[in-house]
Amino acid sequence: FKTRKAAERWALKFEASIDEDDAGLTSEAQKHTLSDAIRRYRAEVLSDRAPTARPNYEHRLAHWDHALGHLRLSDLAPAKIATVRDELNRAPATVAAYLAVLASVLTACVRRWHWLKDSPMRQVDKPTVSNARSRFLSQDELQRLLTACRESESPDLHLAVLLSITTGARRGEILGLRWRDLELPVRSWGMDQ
């Protein structure tokens, strides 16, 4: 530029064109907010989900929209997502479900609409969910089960269920069990080797 004033004028025009995206420098992530993504997700992707799952998705989408919807996708940092995750104050499985819905939205932003180069969810820790469940039959339930097994038409059902209850073996293990797999004393059950 020949003069400082000419340079300043050019800079002001260039900055204005960036704001209006005439310069071609504004990324898709800067153009769209998380609310935009959620709205498009509802319109294009949510209908693919099972009808019974949609209410849960809607509820979780509304949560993310309320908490972070105002942010541009370019400003949606993993730390901000983690802060909202920590504020959920729910069971790990529920928190994981909330994160999964947001991850689904952000994956659509990456793969379908190309609004993001990479999902910030890749850098957010998910809670460990233990699906293990300890449930024992009450004495009444146990007696009813064994009685029903004895009355069954299957001659082996009572024995199979009894073995399962006393050993903790699974169905496949019991059904595949053979005499050669057992180590019994010679006089057990009156059988000889």
Side-chain angles (χ1 to χ4, degrees):
F1 300 101
K2 292 182 180 178
T3 65
R4 180 180 175 156
K5 193 145 187 112
E8 289 173 347
R9 260 195 315 252
W10 177 87
L12 285 172
K13 283 183 183 178
F14 187 75
E15 288 173 353
S17 70
I18 288 175
D19 288 343
E20 297 171 7
D21 193 31
D22 292 341
L25 299 177
T26 306
S27 72
E28 292 296 318
Q30 291 170 315
K31 291 181 191 176
H32 302 285
T33 64
L34 180 59
S35 284
D36 296 336
I38 290 172
R39 192 170 22 265
R40 189 166 180 184
Y41 184 89
R42 281 180 172 132
E44 297 178 18
V45 180
L46 193 57
S47 61
D48 295 341
R49 303 285 179 235
T52 55
R54 289 183 204 149
N56 285 333
Y57 268 82
E58 282 291 352
H59 179 73
R60 293 168 185 149
L61 288 169
H63 174 79
W64 290 112
D65 197 12
H66 175 75
L68 299 173
H70 63 284
L71 293 176
R72 290 183 180 150
L73 293 174
S74 59
D75 297 330
L76 190 59
K80 292 179 181 177
I81 296 170
T83 299
V84 175
R85 172 203 63 202
D86 295 342
E87 291 170 353
L88 277 169
N89 195 24
R90 302 210 178 162
T94 303
V95 173
Y98 273 83
L99 291 172
V101 168
L102 180 59
S104 183
V105 171
L106 296 176
T107 296
C109 289
V110 173
R111 294 185 182 166
R112 286 178 175 232
W113 311 314
H114 308 286
W115 289 358
L116 284 171
K117 290 184 181 182
D118 193 26
S119 172
M121 285 300 296
R122 292 169 43 96
Q123 299 171 15
V124 177
D125 284 340
K126 284 87 179 161
T128 303
V129 178
S130 172
N131 290 332
R133 186 176 138 190
S134 296
R135 163 81 162 82
F136 299 97
L137 297 176
S138 69
Q139 285 298 323
D140 180 52
E141 291 172 322
L142 180 60
Q143 289 307 315
R144 289 193 334 236
L145 174 63
L146 292 174
T147 300
C149 290
R150 267 189 234 104
E151 295 170 357
S152 168
E153 292 180 13
S154 171
D156 300 325
L157 182 61
H158 181 259
L159 179 58
V161 170
L162 198 56
L163 275 171
S164 177
I165 291 170
T166 56
T167 65
R170 295 181 178 163
R171 183 183 73 163
E173 296 169 328
I174 291 173
L175 294 177
L177 192 61
R178 300 293 174 253
W179 282 109
R180 66 179 175 269
D181 299 328
L182 302 175
E183 292 182 24
L184 299 172
V186 176
R187 298 202 191 279
S188 288
W189 293 351
M191 300 184 71
D192 294 326
Q193 282 188 329

